[in-house]
Amino acid sequence: MNSNFDIIIVGGGAAGFFTAINIVEKNPKLKVAILERGQNVLEKVRISGGGRCNVTHACFVPNDLVKFYPRGEKELRGPFHQFCSGDTIEWFEKHGVELKIEEDGRMFPTTDSSQTIIDCFLTAVKKLKIEVLTGQSVQSLFKASAYWKVETNHETYSCQKLIMTTGSNPKIWEILQNIGHTIVSPVPSLFTFNIKDTRIKDLMGLSAFAKVKVKGTKLEAVGPLLITHWGMSGPGILRLSAWGARELFEKNYQFILEVNWLNDVTFEEAIDTLKELKQEHAKKAVSKKSPFEFPNRLWESLVLAAGISEDVKWADLTKKQLSDLSNQLTNGQFQVNGKSTFKEEFVTAGGIDLKEINFKTMESKLHQNLFFAGEIVNIDAITGGFNFQNAWTSGFIVAQSLTS
């Protein structure tokens, strides 16, 4: 078996396959191999989006798209102008895969099966004669003057250009550190908050559109908040966890979460509304029906938390009770103790320092002919197809720079 290649790609995931296919489609003469440490390739693609593969997001303007990346916003602007979500849709269509847009903007294959994406990639590498070598765990990298040597547990390979697409793999990060790259240490990025609090104790499954803040910091987010068995989740919380990945890690996930159940309504505005309700509904019990756009059971719980018992009528509310209720509505303080992983979508913030990469080519600034694509670099996004879009874009740019 010949172990010399023009290009070797380490990592048989989404970014690795996409890069390889784009390279050989542009230049069929190149001899390309993908090295994968596991026995199976594309494992993350298989489980992503609950087995449906959330390929990208229907956000087609590069300057809007970058806003979904807590790390990488500045760096991805140029790359997204070269290859954005619209290009992704077109690419997959050309390769026989049609995508559809769901209400929340996420995009999936019309088959609703990640196997469609996997088959598309496997068919392409076969057709293009790209070698896929599994069970190859990289042990070291060595740079000679004109080529790279890649040593695995089975074999030593050599290539002129080396592309690393290994995702969040600590062992590979360590190997890259040994050749001079800086690794921003990984911390979890998408997680839910563990909260034990009588106000939400029996409200599992309830959802409200809220503004959430981490007390004493600049971190805040707006979006649907879901009350769960363990505490709080939903897009608003996940967004906060992504943007606050480093800061919350440093707090050891112990902090006060401030919740405004009325989103943008201030304490004073809430008091005014409550005073109007006091006039309008004088004879009705306060706790009976939520006057705001969130569930009755949540309203009931916040009314109780403000020290207003079930049978108290609007007319009988004291000034203090009005103030306490307004406070519960616009500035509920919840103690967070720890976090839980969000579904199987384990995303980490961390990876190769962005300052060490040329984003026009995705080449290392420290080593010629060493390239990166996907989550191996310190870029991550919130959930919704954005992490895959980063893989497609960075893979496309590597392919461009190697074949133009």
Side-chain angles (χ1 to χ4, degrees):
M1 170 183 140
N2 188 351
S3 54
N4 295 339
F5 293 91
D6 295 313
I7 295 169
I8 285 177
I9 295 165
V10 179
F17 269 77
F18 196 77
T19 309
I21 293 164
N22 278 283
I23 288 171
V24 182
E25 281 181 346
K26 289 189 176 86
N27 184 349
K29 291 196 183 82
L30 290 171
K31 196 163 174 257
V32 176
I34 297 173
L35 305 183
E36 164 58 41
R37 65 175 169 167
Q39 289 312 316
N40 298 311
V41 291
L42 301 164
E43 277 304 294
K44 235 180 156 179
V45 172
R46 189 183 306 284
I47 60 168
S48 94
R52 295 194 302 145
C53 190
N54 184 182
V55 176
T56 185
H57 202 94
C59 174
F60 303 110
V61 181
N63 291 352
D64 295 341
L65 187 58
V66 293
K67 299 271 187 294
F68 294 95
Y69 297 81
R71 281 143 296 268
E73 180 179 339
K74 191 170 92 253
E75 291 77 8
L76 286 172
R77 196 162 282 139
F80 283 159
H81 276 92
Q82 280 194 58
F83 192 90
C84 203
S85 350
D87 302 301
T88 299
I89 297 166
E90 202 183 321
W91 191 95
F92 278 102
E93 256 174 24
K94 266 194 195 142
H95 291 79
V97 177
E98 214 175 310
L99 303 179
K100 58 172 181 176
I101 303 176
E102 304 213 332
E103 253 172 47
D104 56 7
R106 292 182 305 161
M107 297 196 69
F108 295 89
T110 49
T111 56
D112 273 330
S113 165
S114 57
Q115 195 58 45
T116 307
I117 305 297
I118 293 171
D119 291 344
C120 163
F121 285 166
L122 293 177
T123 306
V125 295
K126 204 169 167 185
K127 188 178 137 199
L128 298 165
K129 299 189 168 50
I130 294 164
E131 281 194 54
V132 179
L133 306 164
T134 54
Q136 301 286 335
S137 168
V138 171
Q139 308 298 312
S140 69
L141 301 175
F142 170 75
K143 189 172 192 227
S145 54
Y147 62 90
W148 281 92
K149 260 167 87 167
V150 181
E151 195 188 338
T152 75
N153 50 343
H154 288 307
E155 181 86 45
T156 301
Y157 299 92
S158 67
C159 60
Q160 281 162 343
K161 321 261 182 193
L162 178 61
I163 306 163
M164 306 300 289
T165 60
T166 44
S168 307
N169 178 335
K171 187 176 167 189
I172 297 290
W173 278 335
E174 199 182 315
I175 290 172
L176 289 165
Q177 223 167 354
N178 293 340
I179 60 168
H181 268 290
T182 308
I183 306 300
V184 178
S185 63
V187 297
S189 171
L190 286 182
F191 47 86
T192 63
F193 298 168
N194 297 350
I195 299 169
K196 272 197 169 59
D197 192 293
T198 48
R199 285 168 290 179
I200 58 169
K201 188 171 172 276
D202 297 315
L203 302 182
M204 274 145 5
L206 286 192
S207 174
F209 195 89
K211 181 186 240 170
V212 284
K213 289 173 79 163
V214 175
K215 191 174 181 169
T217 72
K218 288 185 174 144
L219 294 170
E220 65 172 47
V222 172
L225 182 159
L226 176 69
I227 297 171
T228 69
H229 196 64
W230 308 111
M232 292 182 187
S233 181
I237 295 290
L238 292 170
R239 207 163 284 157
L240 198 60
S241 79
W243 262 267
R246 292 247 156 244
E247 228 170 309
L248 299 180
F249 171 77
E250 277 154 23
K251 290 181 180 298
N252 200 14
Y253 309 108
Q254 312 283 323
F255 56 92
I256 304 255
L257 181 72
E258 300 178 333
V259 180
N260 184 340
W261 299 101
L262 305 179
N263 183 12
D264 274 338
V265 176
T266 65
F267 173 81
E268 287 76 17
E269 289 166 343
I271 285 244
D272 291 343
T273 306
L274 293 175
K275 282 177 179 162
E276 283 168 30
L277 290 163
K278 185 175 167 160
Q279 302 292 295
E280 282 168 42
H281 301 304
K283 293 194 166 60
K284 292 182 180 161
V286 180
S287 68
K288 264 290 163 279
K289 189 174 183 306
S290 167
F292 301 104
E293 284 180 26
F294 60 70
N296 286 332
R297 283 167 56 212
L298 177 59
W299 166 253
E300 231 170 274
S301 173
L302 296 176
V303 169
L304 279 175
I308 302 163
S309 54
E310 268 171 45
D311 41 7
V312 171
K313 296 191 170 30
W314 278 99
D316 303 330
L317 283 183
T318 66
K319 209 170 168 185
K320 182 178 186 316
Q321 285 173 323
L322 278 172
S323 171
D324 287 351
L325 182 53
S326 179
N327 209 22
Q328 287 293 344
L329 288 164
T330 60
N331 189 19
Q333 312 260 320
F334 292 85
Q335 175 64 46
V336 175
N337 288 310
K339 60 166 180 53
S340 300
T341 303
F342 175 64
K343 297 191 182 154
E344 73 284 345
E345 311 231 2
F346 187 69
V347 175
T348 53
I352 294 160
D353 195 319
L354 303 181
K355 294 195 284 292
E356 298 175 352
I357 297 162
N358 174 356
F359 278 86
K360 288 191 171 67
T361 57
M362 297 308 293
E363 187 172 14
S364 158
K365 287 181 180 174
L366 311 186
H367 297 284
Q368 237 183 336
N369 297 329
L370 173 63
F371 297 80
F372 304 110
E375 284 179 47
I376 184 170
V377 304
N378 184 26
I379 285 179
D380 61 285
I382 61 171
T383 168
F386 303 104
N387 282 304
F388 273 136
Q389 184 56 49
N390 167 44
W392 314 139
T393 296
S394 50
F396 176 83
I397 286 176
V398 171
Q400 277 294 82
S401 58
L402 287 183
T403 53
S404 54

